[in-house]
Amino acid sequence: MKHNYIYHFVLIVFLLTWACTNQHQKAAQVIETESSTIEKYRPQYHFTPDSAWMNDPNGMVYYEGEYHLFYQYYPDSTVWGPMHWGHAVSTDLVHWEHLPIALYPDSLGYIFSGSAVVDWNNSSGLGTKENPPLIIFFTYHNPLIVKAGGIDVESQALAYSLDKGRTWIKYEGNPVIPNDGNRDFRDPKVFWNEDIQKWNLLLSANDHVQIYTSDDLINWTKESDFGYDAGTHDGVWECPDLFKLKVEDTDKSRWVLIVNINPGGPNGGSGTQYFIGDFDGKQFTADTKDTKWIDWGHDNYAGVTWSDVPKEDGRRIFLGWMSNWDYAQVVPTESWRSAMTIPRELSLIRKADNYLLKSSPVKEMDMITNKARVVRVADQMIDGEKIIDLHEVNLNQSRLNFSFNIGDSQPSLFGFIFENELGEHIKLTYSSIAKQFWFNRTNSGDVSFSDKFPAISVAPFEINQTVYFEMFIDAASIEVFVNDGELVMTEIFFNSEPYTQLKVYAEGGAIDLTEGAFANVNSIWE
């Protein structure tokens, strides 16, 4: 998301930033992360910028053993400003090395969101087949046109790298796709389509998606539009993604289209919707025009997937920005703002005559889970409230797994309470009557910074006899995966002191806690 806040102020900062670009570029050393282990609310196993402002993940691509993560970045403040592309790399999706800023604003504008690919056959001519170029596509956002009241604010451009993404050269012919008359015209997502042997590019254009084709990554032909009559239209469509997934336990594959929207999310503010359908390389046709959501919490936005993950791996790996534009710029962190979700593997299943996109934690999370000290419980009937003995597990930096058997005497309500000695708490509840989950953070701690923050998220879900939960808690966030990711809720909070007590409760009947396993998650910065 790219905010429209105080453009006169932003323009001044933009000009100052542009003037000192060369100075920034000369200071191209790896960023140290000494502060990342001591600040209040700083996550210990989620990606965060070392300092300053971050939002959308960008340009996620795998190349020669490295996962590249670029992101919307403003290095001079902890609020949104002239956008740069920050950069980090990882060999395992969990440990990250901060690299120098990849792209700076220039005379064509700020550097808004986009994607990256490996041009393996050098179809662009910007590298060689022996040394294929990495190519990033991004949106230019011109604040001078904004100030003048123009419409053609945004256009699409590219840059390329011949040294494994360490330095980037902006293409001399930018923009490669000029503005088409839409004020909101951004976030190019590019991928190679094996089915038609061409490149595809998706763009968000106000309240719909545009689809393009190309042979060379430079010259693009618009083929179609999608979305005028599908999904929700309560805000601007952003950050699209399109990919094919095999349906689990079948030989069938379907296409998945992801579209982020702000506002208009399922519980207010930002959200990520998706569609299942067919794609012939030129036009996407959805099975249904109804809205489906990847995450029902408040805090998963602008999520897209990595390109060029090796075929022998075969996964579709997703990452989102763990915040919400309703309050992202005012949350009570000091030297930095925002984190990414943990990486998630997407899969497609058939459930109740519908296709469902599942999100589950990537297997690499096992690498930082302390399996040497797993606390286990089993066969406990819960009727009322029961405190779970976590022993030496630090709830503030933990991974929790629960299996329940609901049985015939299904309780009307059951769930979890995480709390501290001050009485601050977050609460996850399932109602068997309403067939909904509720996540309540109204008494979670500091909620004073925004009247939209103390809220209850609601998510429809039907539980039968058994249900399985996996939860990741990291300082000021929780990610809840139900039944291996059939439902996901991501929420941030700002408690005055860490939560130290976990309760499981049931009302209107008992529930059988058949198994629980709890472990610490190691810091990725140590």
Side-chain angles (χ1 to χ4, degrees):
M1 168 62 188
K2 301 82 198 169
H3 249 282
N4 298 323
Y5 287 152
I6 319 176
Y7 271 105
H8 292 290
F9 167 77
V10 168
L11 176 61
I12 294 171
V13 179
F14 164 70
L15 294 174
L16 291 172
T17 302
W18 183 20
C20 66
T21 291
N22 289 335
Q23 179 179 347
H24 279 304
Q25 290 174 324
K26 290 177 183 177
Q29 71 271 13
V30 173
I31 300 170
E32 298 296 334
T33 59
E34 293 178 359
S35 64
S36 64
T37 61
I38 59 175
E39 296 174 81
K40 188 176 184 180
Y41 304 131
R42 171 78 77 166
Q44 292 301 295
Y45 59 87
H46 289 75
F47 180 83
T48 55
D50 183 65
S51 63
W53 169 267
M54 177 183 76
N55 55 287
D56 306 5
N58 294 155
M60 301 193 306
V61 63
Y62 180 88
Y63 183 61
E64 291 194 358
E66 293 180 326
Y67 295 92
H68 289 262
L69 168 61
F70 302 88
Y71 50 92
Q72 292 285 276
Y73 187 52
Y74 182 39
D76 298 325
S77 178
T78 55
V79 298
W80 188 94
M83 285 291 99
H84 302 52
W85 270 29
H87 189 195
V89 292
S90 174
T91 58
D92 60 12
L93 284 170
V94 290
H95 298 92
W96 293 95
E97 177 188 1
H98 290 278
L99 295 181
I101 292 171
L103 294 178
Y104 291 78
D106 58 36
S107 60
L108 294 179
Y110 307 159
I111 312 296
F112 275 7
S113 291
S115 58
V117 293
V118 184
D119 184 10
W120 291 105
N121 294 315
N122 193 35
S123 61
S124 64
L126 297 172
T128 64
K129 287 191 177 181
E130 294 73 27
N131 185 24
L134 282 174
I135 300 184
I136 52 181
F137 292 81
F138 60 92
T139 296
Y140 269 125
H141 178 94
N142 195 317
L144 300 177
I145 296 176
V146 172
K147 184 179 180 181
I151 296 297
D152 55 338
V153 173
E154 295 174 346
S155 58
Q156 317 314 316
L158 66 85
Y160 62 98
S161 173
L162 302 175
D163 60 358
K164 292 187 65 175
R166 267 47 183 185
T167 59
W168 294 89
I169 304 166
K170 291 174 181 172
Y171 178 60
E172 290 183 356
N174 282 335
V176 293
I177 302 179
N179 186 273
D180 74 340
N182 279 289
R183 169 61 176 76
D184 298 297
F185 181 69
R186 52 179 174 258
D187 309 339
K189 174 66 178 185
V190 176
F191 65 96
W192 174 252
N193 190 332
E194 289 281 355
D195 295 347
I196 62 170
Q197 293 293 295
K198 287 180 179 288
W199 296 98
N200 278 125
L201 181 149
L202 275 73
L203 276 179
S204 291
N206 188 23
D207 64 347
H208 65 284
V209 167
Q210 297 180 352
I211 298 173
Y212 294 74
T213 58
S214 175
D215 293 315
D216 60 8
L217 288 167
I218 295 171
N219 299 287
W220 294 92
T221 300
K222 183 183 175 184
E223 302 289 357
S224 64
D225 299 283
F226 171 79
Y228 283 115
D229 59 350
T232 182
H233 292 266
D234 293 335
V236 175
W237 284 26
E238 297 188 307
C239 302
D241 198 353
L242 181 61
F243 46 87
K244 186 188 291 188
L245 277 183
K246 185 176 178 293
V247 183
E248 285 189 1
D249 301 322
T250 75
D251 295 326
K252 190 174 186 178
S253 294
R254 303 305 308 279
W255 286 86
V256 180
L257 172 63
I258 290 175
V259 181
N260 291 269
I261 184 170
N262 179 66
N267 284 289
S270 315
T272 305
Q273 57 185 331
Y274 72 92
F275 305 89
I276 308 297
D278 297 312
F279 181 55
D280 63 5
K282 295 184 177 182
Q283 185 168 352
F284 177 80
T285 304
D287 293 345
T288 174
K289 298 175 181 179
D290 297 337
T291 297
K292 298 181 179 181
W293 300 103
I294 280 184
D295 194 309
W296 285 84
H298 281 96
D299 298 302
N300 182 359
Y301 187 60
V304 287
T305 65
W306 263 277
S307 69
D308 292 279
V309 173
K311 289 183 179 179
E312 56 269 26
D313 182 315
R315 291 178 296 171
R316 179 59 58 171
I317 304 170
F318 172 95
L319 189 76
W321 175 49
M322 198 160 59
S323 196
N324 190 308
W325 278 114
D326 272 351
Y327 41 75
Q329 300 196 95
V330 294
V331 296
T333 58
E334 295 182 1
S335 66
W336 94 101
R337 280 212 170 99
S338 302
M340 299 301 181
T341 67
I342 60 173
R344 304 170 183 185
E345 180 180 358
L346 301 181
S347 57
L348 196 58
I349 65 170
R350 186 79 170 168
K351 184 178 181 182
D353 298 324
N354 290 304
Y355 290 106
L356 176 67
L357 187 64
K358 289 173 38 176
S359 304
S360 55
V362 293
K363 61 186 179 183
E364 286 84 351
M365 293 303 297
D366 291 346
M367 297 171 54
I368 55 174
T369 301
N370 188 347
K371 295 183 177 181
R373 293 188 174 182
V374 178
V375 175
R376 300 184 184 277
V377 298
D379 297 324
Q380 298 190 20
M381 292 300 298
I382 310 296
D383 189 358
E385 288 187 359
K386 181 177 181 60
I387 297 174
I388 302 299
D389 188 354
L390 298 173
H391 298 286
E392 297 181 3
V393 173
N394 174 13
L395 193 58
N396 196 50
Q397 193 176 320
S398 62
R399 180 177 186 174
L400 312 173
N401 296 75
F402 291 91
S403 294
F404 292 96
N405 186 350
I406 296 176
D408 296 330
S409 58
Q410 189 174 95
S412 55
L413 299 172
F414 74 90
F416 307 87
I417 302 171
F418 302 80
E419 61 185 353
N420 59 25
E421 293 182 357
L422 301 176
E424 297 170 344
H425 64 272
I426 53 176
K427 188 174 184 179
L428 177 66
T429 299
Y430 181 75
S431 168
S432 59
I433 298 172
K435 299 189 184 308
Q436 292 178 337
F437 278 101
W438 304 324
F439 188 94
N440 187 333
R441 65 180 182 194
T442 57
N443 296 301
S444 56
D446 185 359
V447 298
S448 63
F449 51 87
S450 169
D451 59 6
K452 294 184 178 180
F453 188 82
I456 299 174
S457 297
V458 179
F461 195 78
E462 186 166 356
I463 294 175
N464 296 316
Q465 290 294 305
T466 61
V467 62
Y468 172 72
F469 295 88
E470 185 165 25
M471 306 179 191
F472 289 83
I473 303 171
D474 190 6
S477 68
I478 183 169
E479 292 163 271
V480 180
F481 300 85
V482 182
N483 287 356
D484 196 29
E486 291 185 11
L487 175 78
V488 184
M489 301 183 80
T490 303
E491 302 276 349
I492 60 176
F493 48 83
F494 300 94
N495 41 359
S496 304
E497 296 178 358
Y499 299 135
T500 55
Q501 188 174 84
L502 170 61
K503 297 177 181 176
V504 178
Y505 75 97
E507 299 178 9
I511 187 170
D512 183 10
L513 171 56
T514 55
E515 186 177 4
F518 323 122
N520 288 322
V521 180
N522 301 326
S523 173
I524 64 174
W525 305 115
E526 296 176 353

